[in-house]
Amino acid sequence: MPATTIPLAHRATDLVGSVIDSSTSLLARQTHDVVRFAMGAPGDDLIPVEMFDRYLGELSPGRYGYGATEGEPELIEQVLALTHGRGVASSADRITITTGGMQGLDLAGKLFLDPGDLVIVEGPTYTNGNSTALSYGARLLEAPLDENGLVVERLEELVARAGRTPKAIYTIPTFQNPSGATLSRARRERLLDLADRWGAVIIDDDPYGMLRFEGEEVPGFAQIAPNHPLVFSVRTFSKILAPGLRVGWVDADPALRPLLINAKQAMDTCTGVPAQRMVTRFLADDHLDAHLARIARLYRTRKDAMRHSLRRHFGERVRGTDPDGGFFLWLTFAGAWAELDTRRLFEPALRHGVAFIPGPAFSATGSFANALRLCFATSSPERIEEGVVRLRRAAEEVLAGRDRTRPPRVSN
Ligand code: PMP
């Protein structure tokens, strides 16, 4: 038979996957014990499994039928109660339930980005945010980040150098993925001004904001500028409840809702009904606040345990962030270890039984070769200690040149 060429669209060849998501299947294939610092996933022990199992058994009729594209009305009502309770003005015509936060990001790309459009992204940022923008043909402008989030003061200069204004600004303002940094109020205000000036959409991706375990709340864009038409907020229950439910929502200008519905109808028709009803029940039964208080307390313990283990086993060889919430520590090798390429470290570390995500996965420009992201949320303090010990062993092996593995290709 002659070899058949499969006629791909240009779009298909331009698609960029996710190193992070691929690590889920990679880890599933491992037969040895691996401490999981790679995925940004809540600990299995912190998911209210019994409650969800019970809810699933008690769902009302229609649970296995098609639902409304914009989401189950009862869930929209609960989402509104949740957002109002946190001082955010919203309304039912602003909310669209999505298949996780990722669908919210994809919808943003679909609605706002034409090929060649410029998108400001944080450096480092969430791999899949970059991938989504790239899959719509966007050009990424990576802007620096410090302990107060995106360095908004640098944006005008960067945009002037790019020679064109951005169509969108993709930011993870609270407990950023991967750095854990939170954008200061002053910078949020300034970013809103710039968005107004440029007519750019702020893609406000905030899955971790409700997971604060210390420090002062910082008002969100929606509190500073209620119902601002240029703010497109992407939210998810993945981090606060369970990622496998795949339930999130978008809070956006009502004029966008019919477009979101059209786009979603060509994607998945509606978000899975059973999962929406399970989330609705959890919220209606008023379990969220107690659940958040419990998991935030435990995440704080886990973060402290990870920082403590890192200090003990790496000392000055690594610099790490110290977030007030969320899931992640961002580490940069320092001193004599500053040249350590974390892409080289990945396979030896996996062999030693610990998984993490190498820094360049979070960069549009492939930067941060000597950095890595660790998720402290998934493991108990004892497992965290074990994982850090394994990481140290793997790092020593790589530095001693005993490791012969070639660095894996890390796409952005
Ligand atoms: N945005 C950020 C910043 C995330 O960290 C994640 C999950 N890792 C998502 C969006 C996607 O969330 P979901 O799993 O609900 O699709």
Side-chain angles (χ1 to χ4, degrees):
M1 268 224 321
T4 308
T5 309
I6 303 175
L8 291 176
H10 290 300
R11 188 186 318 113
T13 47
D14 289 346
L15 290 177
V16 183
S18 165
V19 191
I20 306 177
D21 294 354
S22 301
S23 76
T24 306
S25 27
L26 178 68
L27 289 178
R29 290 198 300 274
Q30 305 303 309
T31 48
H32 65 304
D33 173 50
V34 179
V35 180
R36 284 148 202 250
F37 295 151
M39 284 298 280
D44 277 343
D45 54 330
L46 303 190
I47 294 175
V49 174
E50 284 85 29
M51 212 177 279
F52 284 139
D53 284 352
R54 183 158 55 79
Y55 289 163
L56 185 60
E58 294 172 3
L59 293 181
S60 47
R63 58 198 175 280
Y64 296 123
Y66 286 116
T69 303
E70 62 273 23
E72 297 287 286
E74 297 80 7
L75 180 55
I76 293 176
E77 223 172 86
Q78 289 300 329
V79 164
L80 280 177
L82 173 64
T83 45
H84 291 160
R86 281 167 169 71
V88 174
S90 190
S91 47
D93 55 357
R94 298 182 55 87
I95 306 292
T96 306
I97 303 297
T98 57
T99 300
M102 265 325 298
Q103 189 177 52
L105 294 182
D106 192 56
L107 287 164
K110 209 163 201 171
L111 259 50
F112 304 126
L113 301 180
D114 287 316
D117 279 346
L118 190 68
V119 179
I120 294 179
V121 299
E122 294 161 342
T125 192
Y126 177 45
T127 317
N128 301 26
N130 280 351
S131 309
T132 305
L134 288 171
S135 75
Y136 285 99
R139 274 187 41 212
L140 305 184
L141 175 60
E142 187 170 275
L145 193 91
D146 65 19
E147 60 283 3
N148 292 312
L150 178 66
V151 185
V152 177
E153 300 81 345
R154 291 282 311 281
L155 296 186
E156 280 170 284
E157 166 210 333
L158 291 172
V159 164
R161 221 187 295 153
R164 54 213 283 222
T165 52
K167 188 79 168 290
I169 303 157
Y170 172 57
T171 180
I172 307 162
T174 317
F175 315 135
Q176 200 252 9
N177 180 0
S179 70
T182 292
L183 192 64
S184 67
R185 179 181 180 129
R187 284 182 171 175
R188 288 178 201 235
E189 287 171 355
R190 195 157 172 179
L191 195 63
L192 282 160
D193 286 345
L194 287 174
D196 275 333
R197 181 150 19 115
W198 291 328
V201 176
I202 296 179
I203 304 172
D204 155 36
D205 182 16
D206 194 349
Y208 303 99
M210 283 184 242
L211 294 171
R212 174 176 288 282
F213 38 69
E214 52 204 12
E216 292 281 302
E217 285 286 335
V218 178
F221 294 113
Q223 286 152 307
I224 297 169
N227 298 341
H228 193 298
L230 290 175
V231 176
F232 185 92
S233 297
V234 174
R235 301 289 183 267
T236 177
F237 288 104
S238 293
K239 315 297 174 169
I240 56 173
L241 292 182
L245 291 170
R246 312 304 303 136
V247 181
W249 74 97
V250 159
D251 188 332
D253 193 84
L256 296 174
R257 198 163 184 245
L259 307 181
L260 289 167
I261 291 173
N262 287 349
K264 225 178 118 65
Q265 283 172 344
M267 280 177 177
D268 60 0
T269 303
C270 65
T271 299
V273 176
Q276 289 188 72
R277 294 203 183 171
M278 288 155 72
V279 173
T280 304
R281 183 75 196 278
F282 187 87
L283 298 173
D285 286 356
D286 213 13
H287 291 306
L288 187 67
D289 285 342
H291 175 69
L292 286 176
R294 172 168 175 263
I295 61 176
R297 208 170 44 244
L298 285 160
Y299 288 150
R300 182 190 186 153
T301 311
R302 291 175 183 195
K303 180 202 78 167
D304 289 345
M306 187 172 268
R307 283 181 50 81
H308 184 75
S309 295
L310 285 166
R311 217 172 309 119
R312 188 153 49 182
H313 300 291
F314 285 86
E316 299 300 312
R317 299 173 191 89
V318 83
R319 276 182 285 112
T321 50
D322 186 8
D324 287 343
F327 277 12
F328 306 113
L329 293 190
W330 177 247
L331 305 186
T332 309
F333 283 107
W337 288 24
E339 300 297 308
L340 204 160
D341 185 330
T342 56
R343 285 166 298 192
R344 267 187 184 286
L345 180 60
F346 182 79
E347 280 182 26
L350 196 57
R351 227 182 323 102
H352 279 276
V354 59
F356 65 88
I357 304 289
F362 300 96
S363 169
T365 53
S367 308
F368 312 110
N370 65 344
L372 63 121
R373 186 191 80 178
L374 298 183
C375 174
F376 54 77
T378 316
S379 315
S380 67
E382 298 71 36
R383 290 285 288 168
I384 286 173
E385 167 70 10
E386 179 59 31
V388 171
V389 167
R390 292 176 186 181
L391 191 63
R392 162 87 202 235
R393 270 188 222 129
E396 286 196 329
E397 192 177 295
V398 172
L399 283 161
R402 273 178 296 176
D403 182 73
R404 301 263 164 262
T405 20
R406 294 205 293 141
R409 279 192 45 215
V410 174
S411 58
N412 303 319

